[in-house]
Amino acid sequence: MLYRLECAIWEFTLGCNMNCKHCGSSAGFARKNELSTTECFSLCEDLAELSCTTVCLMGGEPFLRKDYLDVGNCIKDLGMELSFVTNGLLMDKVIENVAKLEPLVVGLSLDGTELTHDSIRRKGSFQAVMRALKLLNEYNIQTTVITTISKTNFNDLNALAELLKDREVNWQIQVAMPFGNFDPALAIDLEEYYASALFIAKLGIENKFHNHPIVGAHCYGYFSHILPSKEWKGCTAGISTIGITSDGGIVGCLSISNKDFIEGNIRKKSLVEIWEDEKSFAYNRHFNRSDLGPNCRDCEYGEVCKGGCNSMSLHFTGQFHNDPYCMRRIEEKILKVNLSKRSLKKYKKSR
């Protein structure tokens, strides 16, 4: 086997008790044909056979499924780590079961201060997240707050940093992408993106000696001149990670969210067969430099970076390996232009 599966992100159900404005899945109602508990057990066995390290149950809202405890126990019994991503609304009802499962981490969505967060998700949801944070802390469960940024909440970042600084949580910031429920007009522009990257870097340095790590998701990078870069060797979809839809579809990444890139369904073909098929995930596994789009074609890091995050690339440009949200590109193409204009103004004033 050429590729080793490390992490599976599982859309456990499409059912949700929210209707968030940036939801790429347009979640709300469970699919009519979602996997049964028995099918979930079989899928877990295949994940273990592929030596998968971590399985993340998300949604929708994963705790709306009554069998989350059974499936969670199955994942743990098969020797894999378990994590969740939740909106927090049900945490007071499920916390004891979650604690019994001893998850590696629980991801909790928080998208702004109270007014902003509630406007994106639903009224009262901010206070529910605050209660969930408190409960998770009381049960000593490692927590990552996940913030999806757009023009709606971009200016809330500083306030969120202040809110989270003493709560002993990890903080992940990611970019809202134009698919599903999200209005493309609300996507942050390149300068806002770069400003948010600087914010992450600055806060990361300030919190270096505190228990409050902050990271940018895979939509942040790559090979910046100015910022310290995490190691990036290209999109991991179908290389070391997969997405699983609630009805058994296998995709390289759930954020790709396109039926054209479903590699197969476990009801027709086992996950092991899909993963080991040399035709699967061809857009990533069979990458070569000629696949780079115009944003990345001339970059010296093109073969290593492979054009950045494929989800960002697809949703913003319509093709893979062409991510426009690249810190190095912004520095070289955009900031240089702005600096040149300022220099020209300064020169004219001096005349």
Side-chain angles (χ1 to χ4, degrees):
M1 183 169 57
L2 293 175
Y3 301 96
R4 182 180 177 276
L5 179 60
E6 295 176 6
C7 181
I9 310 297
W10 187 344
E11 176 200 82
F12 199 39
T13 178
L14 204 55
C16 193
N17 44 12
M18 288 191 183
N19 185 27
C20 303
K21 292 180 180 177
H22 60 248
C23 180
S25 303
S26 299
F29 297 98
R31 290 186 174 95
K32 293 179 180 179
N33 59 339
E34 293 190 333
L35 297 178
S36 67
T37 304
T38 301
E39 288 174 315
C40 288
F41 290 160
S42 178
L43 176 57
C44 290
E45 289 171 355
D46 275 3
L47 287 166
E49 185 176 336
L50 288 169
S51 301
C52 183
T53 304
T54 305
V55 181
C56 176
L57 299 182
M58 59 182 295
E61 173 50 48
F63 296 125
L64 285 175
R65 272 192 68 140
K66 295 179 180 179
D67 59 355
Y68 75 88
L69 183 59
D70 295 327
V71 175
N73 275 319
C74 181
I75 290 166
K76 296 296 295 284
D77 290 345
L78 288 166
M80 296 177 284
E81 293 284 6
L82 169 68
S83 61
F84 293 97
V85 175
T86 174
N87 59 38
L89 284 186
L90 299 174
M91 190 56 64
D92 57 341
K93 296 179 181 178
V94 303
I95 186 63
E96 291 188 7
N97 283 338
V98 172
K100 288 175 185 175
L101 288 167
E102 298 181 337
L104 180 67
V105 64
V106 172
L108 194 58
S109 301
L110 178 63
D111 291 315
T113 52
E114 185 164 10
L115 185 64
T116 304
H117 178 90
D118 284 2
S119 73
I120 292 171
R121 292 180 173 267
R122 65 178 252 190
K123 189 174 181 180
S125 60
F126 176 87
Q127 290 301 328
V129 173
M130 293 300 103
R131 290 192 298 272
L133 280 173
K134 185 173 183 293
L135 281 170
L136 290 163
N137 181 261
E138 288 173 355
Y139 279 81
N140 294 314
I141 297 171
Q142 183 173 334
T143 307
T144 295
V145 167
I146 302 170
T147 301
T148 304
I149 61 169
S150 65
K151 289 186 182 295
T152 304
N153 62 353
F154 179 79
N155 290 325
D156 279 23
L157 287 176
N158 283 316
L160 277 177
E162 191 66 24
L163 178 71
L164 296 174
K165 71 176 183 179
D166 296 321
R167 294 181 182 268
E168 296 186 354
V169 296
N170 308 316
W171 189 14
Q172 176 179 298
I173 296 176
Q174 58 194 31
V175 176
M177 290 180 255
F179 67 104
N181 291 349
F182 187 60
D183 179 355
L186 296 176
I188 59 173
D189 60 32
L190 294 181
E191 290 189 0
E192 288 167 330
Y193 168 81
Y194 197 74
S196 65
L198 291 172
F199 171 84
I200 293 168
K202 175 179 178 291
L203 204 60
I205 293 169
E206 290 176 356
N207 295 332
K208 189 173 182 180
F209 302 104
H210 302 285
N211 191 20
H212 177 34
I214 178 171
V215 296
H218 281 174
C219 44
Y220 281 94
Y222 318 90
F223 303 102
S224 167
H225 289 286
I226 300 169
L227 303 177
S229 238
K230 60 189 175 188
E231 187 178 11
W232 176 259
K233 294 181 180 178
C235 173
T236 61
I239 304 295
S240 60
T241 63
I242 57 166
I244 305 167
T245 66
S246 62
D247 58 352
I250 302 300
V251 65
C253 171
L254 286 173
S255 292
I256 289 175
S257 190
N258 190 316
K259 291 180 180 178
D260 293 339
F261 299 103
I262 296 289
E263 306 294 337
N265 192 290
I266 64 163
R267 285 174 169 150
K268 297 180 179 179
K269 198 174 181 182
S270 76
L271 174 61
V272 175
E273 291 177 288
I274 294 169
W275 181 260
E276 294 182 346
D277 189 334
E278 63 178 15
K279 297 178 182 177
S280 293
F281 316 103
Y283 60 90
N284 224 13
R285 289 183 175 180
H286 300 163
F287 167 84
N288 61 61
R289 191 175 182 91
S290 65
D291 294 324
L292 292 172
N295 288 323
C296 307
R297 194 167 292 144
D298 298 326
C299 179
E300 61 184 297
Y301 292 98
E303 289 182 43
V304 178
C305 180
K306 300 179 182 176
C309 170
N310 272 328
S311 180
M312 292 282 283
S313 179
L314 181 67
H315 294 303
F316 281 104
T317 73
Q319 66 182 97
F320 289 137
H321 312 296
N322 190 45
D323 188 350
Y325 287 75
C326 165
M327 291 190 287
R328 188 177 186 89
R329 178 175 174 272
I330 292 169
E331 288 162 356
E332 293 185 348
K333 304 292 185 182
I334 296 176
L335 296 184
K336 185 183 288 187
V337 170
N338 289 342
L339 286 170
S340 297
K341 287 180 179 178
R342 285 198 291 271
S343 298
L344 182 61
K345 281 184 179 179
K346 195 172 180 181
Y347 170 76
K348 286 181 177 178
K349 284 183 179 178
S350 67
R351 297 273 298 185

